Amino acid sequence: MDDALLELRGLSKTFDMGKGERLRAVRDVSLAVRRGESLGIVGESGCGKSTIARMVAQLTEVTGGQILFDGRDVTNLPRGRRRELWRRVQMVFQDPYSVFSPRMTVGDFLTEGLVHFGIASRAKARERLPELLARVELPPELAERLPHQLSGGQQQRVVIARALSIQPDLLILDEATSALDVSVQRQILKLLMRLKAELGLTMLFIGHDLAVVRSVTDRIAVMYAGSLVEQLPSDRLVETAAHPYTRRLLDSVFSTGDRGRKQIAIEDLSLIEKGRQLAGCPYQPRCAIATGICSGTCPSLTAVGENHSIACFARQGEELQ
Amino acid sequence: MDILTIDNYSVSYDGQRSAVDGVSLSVSRGEIVSIVGESGSGKSTLLHGMLGLLPKGAATRGRLALFGREISEMPAGERRALCGSRVSMIFQDTGRYMNPIARIGAQYDEFLRIHGMRDGAARRDLQREMLLKLHLTDPERVLRAYPFELSGGMRQRVGIAMAMSLKPELLLADEPTSALDVTVQAQVIRQMLELRESTGTAIVLVTHNIGVAAYLSDRIGVMQRGRLVELGDSQELIEHPKHPYTRGLLEAVVEIDDERLIANHG
Ligand SMILES: Nc1ncnc2c1ncn2[C@@H]1O[C@H](COP(=O)(O)OP(=O)(O)OP(=O)(O)O)[C@@H](O)[C@H]1O
Ligand SMILES: Nc1ncnc2c1ncn2[C@@H]1O[C@H](COP(=O)(O)OP(=O)(O)OP(=O)(O)O)[C@@H](O)[C@H]1O
Ligand SMILES: [Mg+2]
Ligand SMILES: [Mg+2]
């Protein structure tokens, strides 16, 4: 893709578990995010979403494939060249508490990026504190607090504010709004959408809440057991999602509209682990439409429509007919 | 008898502002009450107060009684014994309450041992059984792992497994499913309902997911700026919210078929 800001080519991560055991956390993932685009990544817990984010941010080693940022290969950058990338790529972690130093005030934490990257002097950066906090719906007096004196959602917003402070080109959000109540969440999502429209901010938005991910992304990539199984335009998620796992995700959403009358089917999720061991499609043990071929061969991502591709033999067959 | 009685209860961290402000709520055996509301409105503070886990400088007013006993009057030893066996808690950020340099198996085992399980083999069996129930389908790997080797949702499920292990009479759950994908979330919620069915456990659940609250709970309470502004039967509250804040909250929920917040990409 020409105008790709971020491109993953056959990206893989295998963790060595000792005793000769290996865990293939990410398997041969290829995808691209265009400049100014917002791409969502959804998928089961443990399917490798955070691992992808951490590889892009140079926080864990890539064991296979390539990462290109702005046309340059940034796979496993040497220590000395990471800073340059971090100036342009910021990440908001799933677990906000882990990124704070316990003795650093919120104000120092928030201005650290601006000072570190030489964007503002310490004094100038401190003047901007009220504005940085207000952007994420927080009052100025929080600047004097220590991280443990904030609520979960307040911590999460401080981390978002810091990532935005240095105006990165790419913002990676890993479950970044899951600790927020729905009204604050909506304000933060609107802020992100404004920055996208006005400054062309590019986003990788990892999340579990399909409704939220759908509402703030252009395209969605669905992962299962380390592999990419479907990619499709967000505005057509509900209507066109074709992979049986994506459909399953859509069926599992708890909506306020259900008013508690939803039925939860019993599922044997041990089939997820079993699927990882197979040579064929990882979803096959859980799949209702699997056929003979699915257990022997792993389907690859194939286009079935405009901007829409799936890795599923059964569905590919139907769509192409 | 009520398992939990809270009467005009307030908490202040700095002696000036109240993080929890005059909250009254009682929870009876087998009941599930969800608390939703603003970020920073005092939900976690209220749960920490129930377990006597507030930091030293915090001042409380009003009454908070567990099983008929006032928590502030309980000797520390008695309160500790209660936590884990009769009452247990799933924390909002499980990782923060785990020891980063000890394996999950060792931490889990220690937890069961200090709460009176003497038999090592029984402890091991229980750990595996609970992890499997929470769909951590390779329990051996999870028990051998250090916390950082698990994904966010896996760590969260370890926390849930531990808290549910001893079949508590009261389970306090602070955002227990926020890191879980929807299919796993649905299964975890089933497990909570089953625990209630089988042992009559009462559950106080803090969540931002109003769909989950509606599904799981008998009653829902709504908090804003330290106050419980509305409390009612969960169907009733969702269909006929009375307080303006509740109405606003329900309107802000992003649903799967809503108009999107993003302008279509050209
Ligand atoms: N440092 C590590 N060492 C060993 N295994 C790891 C390590 N980090 C992650 N894993 C494993 O890799 C797999 C993918 O983890 P990852 O954190 O990417 O999942 P995720 O999709 O972000 O899940 P969640 O939605 O629960 O956050 C998991 O099985 C996890 O246990
Ligand atoms: N140790 C502390 N010292 C001072 N203030 C604190 C402390 N812990 C929490 N607070 C403040 O008390 C208020 C209530 O916090 P609490 O964590 O109970 O909120 P919450 O409802 O759980 O929010 P969230 O949904 O964001 O987790 C917040 O304004 C928070 O900043
Ligand atoms: Mg993750
Ligand atoms: Mg909280």
Side-chain angles (χ1 to χ4, degrees):
Chain A
M1 211 184 278
D2 293 342
D3 55 349
L5 182 65
L6 176 71
E7 193 174 344
L8 312 181
R9 290 193 184 156
L11 192 66
S12 299
K13 173 73 187 186
T14 304
F15 287 106
D16 190 349
M17 308 300 288
K19 297 183 194 148
E21 271 181 63
R22 289 142 61 87
L23 178 85
R24 294 178 64 194
V26 176
R27 310 178 172 204
D28 198 19
V29 168
S30 295
L31 54 81
V33 194
R34 286 192 303 270
R35 263 169 239 285
E37 188 186 30
S38 160
L39 177 80
I41 303 184
V42 302
E44 34 114 15
S45 168
C47 72
K49 303 179 296 295
S50 298
T51 304
I52 290 187
R54 294 175 61 84
M55 285 192 281
V56 173
Q58 312 288 321
L59 300 171
T60 191
E61 196 198 347
V62 174
T63 58
Q66 271 185 311
I67 302 172
L68 279 82
F69 180 74
D70 207 1
R72 287 189 313 146
D73 189 341
V74 296
T75 321
N76 296 331
L77 282 180
R79 222 167 255 285
R81 291 191 42 215
R82 291 182 194 163
R83 188 184 136 117
E84 217 180 303
L85 185 82
W86 288 334
R87 170 67 188 83
R88 300 185 60 193
V89 179
Q90 283 286 304
M91 174 157 171
V92 177
F93 291 89
Q94 186 165 11
D95 186 358
Y97 197 77
S98 66
V99 304
F100 287 103
S101 337
R103 312 226 160 274
M104 193 182 220
T105 63
V106 167
D108 287 339
F109 175 82
L110 258 179
T111 49
E112 200 187 31
L114 287 168
V115 176
H116 176 78
F117 290 108
I119 300 168
S121 66
R122 192 164 291 282
K124 280 271 176 279
R126 287 207 77 88
E127 279 171 27
R128 290 190 50 196
L129 271 175
E131 165 218 330
L132 293 174
L133 285 163
R135 264 175 142 186
V136 290
E137 317 281 320
L138 291 173
E141 64 266 22
L142 285 198
E144 305 313 317
R145 298 250 192 107
L146 291 169
H148 75 267
Q149 297 172 323
L150 301 185
S151 80
Q154 289 167 342
Q155 287 171 5
Q156 206 168 37
R157 282 178 279 165
V158 169
V159 179
I160 295 175
R162 171 158 120 154
L164 291 175
S165 71
I166 66 162
Q167 290 204 11
D169 297 322
L170 173 67
L171 181 63
I172 304 175
L173 297 142
D174 191 356
E175 295 291 348
T177 63
S178 60
L180 304 180
D181 69 82
V182 289
S183 30
V184 169
Q185 182 184 54
R186 189 174 273 258
Q187 295 311 315
I188 303 287
L189 296 176
K190 281 188 178 159
L191 166 72
L192 293 173
M193 292 304 103
R194 206 163 62 233
L195 296 173
K196 176 180 188 288
E198 288 167 11
L199 306 174
L201 179 66
T202 307
M203 271 179 280
L204 200 59
F205 194 101
I206 299 172
H208 287 308
D209 189 328
L210 291 177
V212 166
V213 175
R214 174 186 163 278
S215 85
V216 296
T217 55
D218 299 294
R219 283 187 304 132
I220 293 182
V222 184
M223 285 183 70
Y224 187 82
S227 305
L228 208 58
V229 297
E230 183 158 13
Q231 265 195 81
L232 74 172
S234 311
D235 58 350
R236 312 207 40 220
L237 171 70
V238 182
E239 301 79 18
T240 60
H243 194 282
Y245 176 62
T246 315
R247 298 269 26 135
R248 169 92 237 165
L249 282 178
L250 286 166
D251 289 343
S252 308
V253 172
F254 286 93
S255 145
T256 357
D258 301 334
R259 303 214 161 79
R261 285 186 285 265
K262 189 182 189 73
Q263 293 293 315
I264 306 181
I266 308 179
E267 264 206 288
D268 179 3
L269 296 183
S270 69
L271 299 176
I272 299 177
E273 210 62 41
K274 200 163 163 197
R276 281 180 184 274
Q277 323 294 333
L278 298 178
C281 171
Y283 192 64
Q284 181 257 327
R286 267 172 96 186
C287 185
I289 58 167
T291 60
I293 182 171
C294 306
S295 53
T297 322
C298 190
S300 53
L301 219 52
T302 308
V304 290
E306 205 190 336
N307 281 324
H308 188 183
S309 51
I310 54 173
C312 171
F313 290 120
R315 286 279 188 248
Q316 277 162 217
E318 282 170 26
E319 307 272 325
L320 294 174
Q321 265 163 25
Chain B
M1 189 195 69
D2 287 335
I3 283 192
L4 171 70
T5 318
I6 305 174
D7 189 20
N8 204 8
Y9 181 71
S10 302
V11 180
S12 175
Y13 287 104
D14 57 6
Q16 297 164 25
R17 284 168 308 109
S18 299
V20 170
D21 188 3
V23 167
S24 298
L25 169 74
S26 7
V27 178
S28 52
R29 194 181 137 78
E31 191 183 23
I32 302 184
V33 180
S34 289
I35 299 182
V36 301
E38 223 177 13
S39 167
S41 62
K43 304 180 297 296
S44 298
T45 303
L46 186 62
L47 289 198
H48 290 170
M50 291 177 197
L51 274 186
L53 291 179
L54 294 169
K56 281 212 175 60
T60 65
R61 270 187 295 120
R63 260 169 49 78
L64 197 159
L66 280 177
F67 313 108
R69 304 257 288 118
E70 182 62 36
I71 191 114
S72 58
E73 288 160 11
M74 249 183 236
E78 187 183 337
R79 208 169 57 211
R80 266 197 301 278
L82 205 68
C83 301
S85 49
R86 294 182 76 188
V87 187
S88 58
M89 173 107 170
I90 303 167
F91 290 96
Q92 182 165 13
D93 39 7
T94 322
R96 188 170 149 195
Y97 293 90
M98 285 182 180
N99 178 349
I101 54 165
R103 292 180 198 272
I104 300 290
Q107 302 190 42
Y108 200 161
D109 198 63
E110 172 73 5
F111 170 81
L112 295 178
R113 201 183 52 75
I114 59 175
H115 287 108
M117 274 187 83
R118 296 255 171 75
D119 179 352
R123 290 200 300 268
R124 274 191 295 282
D125 290 346
L126 181 60
Q127 289 167 28
R128 277 161 191 72
E129 180 195 324
M130 291 306 298
L131 294 177
L132 283 169
K133 268 196 181 164
L134 287 149
H135 298 280
L136 285 161
T137 51
D138 188 352
E140 302 307 326
R141 166 158 90 88
V142 171
L143 291 169
R144 249 187 296 125
Y146 291 97
F148 78 90
E149 294 178 319
L150 301 179
S151 80
M154 292 166 83
R155 259 196 314 270
Q156 195 172 40
R157 277 178 282 163
V158 169
I160 302 172
M162 285 169 74
M164 288 178 43
S165 293
L166 299 167
K167 302 199 185 334
E169 289 163 71
L170 175 64
L171 180 64
L172 307 174
D174 199 351
E175 300 282 356
T177 63
S178 63
L180 303 179
D181 67 277
V182 286
T183 66
V184 174
Q185 171 177 281
Q187 302 304 314
V188 168
I189 283 166
R190 276 186 60 91
Q191 291 299 335
M192 291 188 159
L193 286 171
E194 264 177 49
L195 183 66
R196 187 245 302 255
E197 292 311 313
S198 63
T199 47
T201 300
I203 302 175
V204 179
L205 173 83
V206 170
T207 180
H208 288 307
N209 190 325
I210 296 174
V212 166
Y215 179 82
L216 195 63
S217 37
D218 306 307
R219 285 188 295 157
I220 297 180
V222 182
M223 284 189 74
Q224 184 195 24
R225 277 181 239 128
R227 307 193 70 98
L228 191 63
V229 295
E230 186 163 357
L231 174 69
D233 170 80
S234 65
Q235 300 247 349
E236 177 66 19
L237 184 130
I238 282 172
E239 285 172 32
H240 307 289
K242 294 198 180 64
H243 196 278
Y245 179 72
T246 313
R247 265 183 251 136
L249 204 61
L250 288 168
E251 274 160 25
V253 175
V254 182
E255 300 274 9
I256 194 85
D257 46 6
D258 278 356
E259 201 173 316
R260 296 185 321 138
L261 296 172
I262 196 171
N264 267 333
H265 195 77

